[in-house]
Amino acid sequence: MNGKRILLWDLPTRLFHWLLALAVIGAMVSGQLGGNLMVWHGRLGIFIVGLLAFRLVWGLVGSTYARFIQFFPSPARVGAYLRGEWRGEGHNPLGAFAVFAFFGLLTAQAVSGVFSNDDIAFTGPLFSLVDKAASNRLTGLHHLLSNVLIALVCLHVAAIVYYGRVKKQSLLKPMVTGWKDGASGESARGGGIVALVIALSVSFALAYGASGNWMPPPPPPPAVSETPDW
Amino acid sequence: MKSKLLLALLSITLTGTAAAQLKPEDAIKFRQSGYTFMAWNMGRIKANVEGQFNKEEVIKSANAIQAIANSGMGALYLPGTDKGTGWEKTRVKPAFFTDKEGVAKVAMAFNKEANEMAKVAATGDAAAIKEQFGKLGAACKACHDDFKIKQ
């Protein structure tokens, strides 16, 4: 530990991470319990769409270690990692695979979720854009992938515990404070206010799109006098 | 000879009627119709709980669900209807036909909540209706989780 102290994860990245963790846990619990919690499952889903959109843009215009290009698991990097020669800060190539796996899984969950239905009373916000058979297939996929997601979350937590206990390296602390001690690289740079505004704009736009609020409201139910007595 | 013929005729008639009573395809259709009709009424209660509340609408919906729940739909799960097509391919899991205890448990729980839904609807208490609607939906889900194939 003869390195220096660097800023590893910028504040937006950390906020994204913890909000996503809370939202995903909330979505898993509400989805499993069902009932009136499905309303919250839907809201959390739209919130997660916003978070993913934010991270996607932040991966392009955010600060050093948040950028996809910084940790993209290229064959050269993976090769070096497998030979034990990879040196760097932030996501290592294996961690990078986990990042993209999370990203892909959650995107699939969001897309399948907005078109889903539960054959009870819940429909995703964009359900009306597809037919029932397609919605059923997407719902099936949503259920299937939720199990894969749970497995990946467990793996993620297990890896952090392994790093802490066995490799004596706290991954948790930098994700909370942003700072890493004994680092070999430089502090993160970039990801200023302009980048933040762009990322947030895209985030809100996609969340709005997923919410279905842009669709014309359904026609109001007929007045009681127009409803036949039978 | 005569009695044998009579017996043969009788047995043909009897088995003929039994088959005519409920073809597997029809049994599956009736099942699917029941659930679909309940879904319409669940949607109606939901619309009333979330939007403009109309007590009469909720009562009609809750009574319809209660009636279907208590109609003895279990009779439609005849042997041989674990696979087949009604309005669409059945989505019942094979476990439904083997795990009698598990099915009874979720079915009884659903009936209880459906009866309670009708009772609560009659009071017109919007908050209580919303809460019971959630419980009823969860009871639907309990069976879907265990016995409905996710496509």
Side-chain angles (χ1 to χ4, degrees):
Chain A
M1 286 294 183
N2 48 6
K4 58 190 174 186
R5 190 165 184 262
I6 63 161
L7 179 66
L8 187 62
W9 306 120
D10 59 42
L11 182 62
T13 303
R14 282 176 282 146
L15 270 178
F16 157 81
H17 173 266
W18 293 113
L19 286 175
L20 185 69
L22 288 176
V24 167
I25 290 167
M28 282 175 175
V29 171
S30 58
Q32 295 289 332
L33 293 178
N36 283 340
L37 285 177
M38 287 309 286
V39 176
W40 281 100
H41 188 74
R43 286 175 187 155
L44 285 168
I46 292 164
F47 182 58
I48 291 172
V49 168
L51 287 173
L52 290 175
F54 173 85
R55 187 64 183 89
L56 187 68
V57 179
W58 203 244
L60 303 173
V61 300
S63 77
T64 312
Y65 301 102
R67 293 191 180 195
F68 297 139
I69 199 149
Q70 170 77 17
F71 58 81
F72 186 81
S74 65
R77 283 177 186 163
V78 173
Y81 181 75
L82 290 176
R83 289 189 301 271
E85 291 165 4
W86 181 83
R87 298 286 178 271
E89 296 301 339
H91 298 299
N92 67 35
L94 188 60
F97 275 119
V99 170
F100 288 109
F102 266 122
F103 222 100
L105 260 181
L106 289 171
T107 302
Q109 286 302 71
V111 171
S112 57
V114 292
F115 298 112
S116 69
N117 79 91
D118 69 353
D119 278 330
I120 301 171
F122 176 85
T123 52
L126 304 184
F127 168 75
S128 60
L129 298 181
V130 297
D131 63 30
K132 180 71 163 55
S135 172
N136 286 350
R137 278 198 299 277
L138 288 167
T139 307
L141 183 71
H142 196 73
H143 282 270
L144 182 73
L145 292 182
S146 72
N147 297 322
V148 182
L149 187 58
I150 290 170
L152 192 60
V153 168
C154 292
L155 193 64
H156 175 62
V157 173
I160 290 159
V161 170
Y162 171 77
Y163 266 82
R165 292 275 172 84
V166 180
K167 300 188 84 172
K168 303 290 173 203
Q169 186 184 344
S170 172
L171 299 186
L172 196 60
K173 201 178 136 233
M175 193 46 90
V176 174
T177 66
W179 295 90
K180 184 186 177 185
D181 293 315
S184 53
E186 299 294 321
S187 265
R189 275 186 297 176
I193 194 78
V194 177
L196 189 65
V197 169
I198 294 171
L200 283 176
S201 306
V202 174
S203 166
F204 279 103
L206 256 82
Y208 180 70
S211 76
N213 287 340
W214 45 272
M215 287 194 286
V224 178
S225 59
E226 292 173 28
T227 320
D229 287 336
W230 49 268
Chain B
M1 179 66 201
K2 203 176 170 189
S3 64
K4 259 190 181 170
L5 194 69
L6 203 66
L7 196 68
L9 258 173
L10 193 68
S11 65
I12 287 169
T13 321
L14 276 180
T15 50
T17 344
Q21 266 170 0
L22 211 48
K23 284 194 272 181
E25 182 197 335
D26 287 336
I28 297 172
K29 271 188 183 173
F30 293 143
R31 271 156 31 185
Q32 292 171 343
S33 299
Y35 296 124
T36 308
F37 197 71
M38 286 195 284
W40 174 51
N41 287 287
M42 287 297 281
R44 281 212 286 181
I45 299 176
K46 184 182 169 151
N48 276 283
V49 165
E50 288 180 351
Q52 208 180 9
F53 186 78
N54 181 327
K55 187 186 165 185
E56 292 309 313
E57 276 273 310
V58 176
I59 290 176
K60 282 180 197 170
S61 313
N63 286 351
I65 293 168
Q66 184 190 32
I68 294 173
N70 290 292
S71 68
M73 279 179 83
L76 296 172
Y77 291 88
L78 302 166
T81 60
D82 53 333
K83 286 194 187 78
T85 302
W87 302 114
E88 58 175 16
K89 201 165 159 242
T90 184
R91 283 194 272 160
V92 69
K93 278 189 187 170
F96 191 96
F97 294 84
T98 51
D99 181 9
K100 295 252 190 288
E101 235 169 81
V103 171
K105 207 175 129 212
V106 290
M108 301 290 272
F110 166 64
N111 281 13
K112 179 179 153 280
E113 300 300 351
N115 289 333
E116 189 64 22
M117 185 77 249
K119 216 194 283 178
V120 175
T123 68
D125 179 346
I129 286 170
K130 185 174 182 179
E131 198 194 325
Q132 183 55 31
F133 173 73
K135 286 187 190 165
L136 180 55
C140 300
K141 183 180 186 295
C143 186
H144 291 192
D145 283 350
D146 292 345
F147 300 112
K148 194 184 85 175
I149 293 169
K150 319 286 184 296
Q151 304 182 318

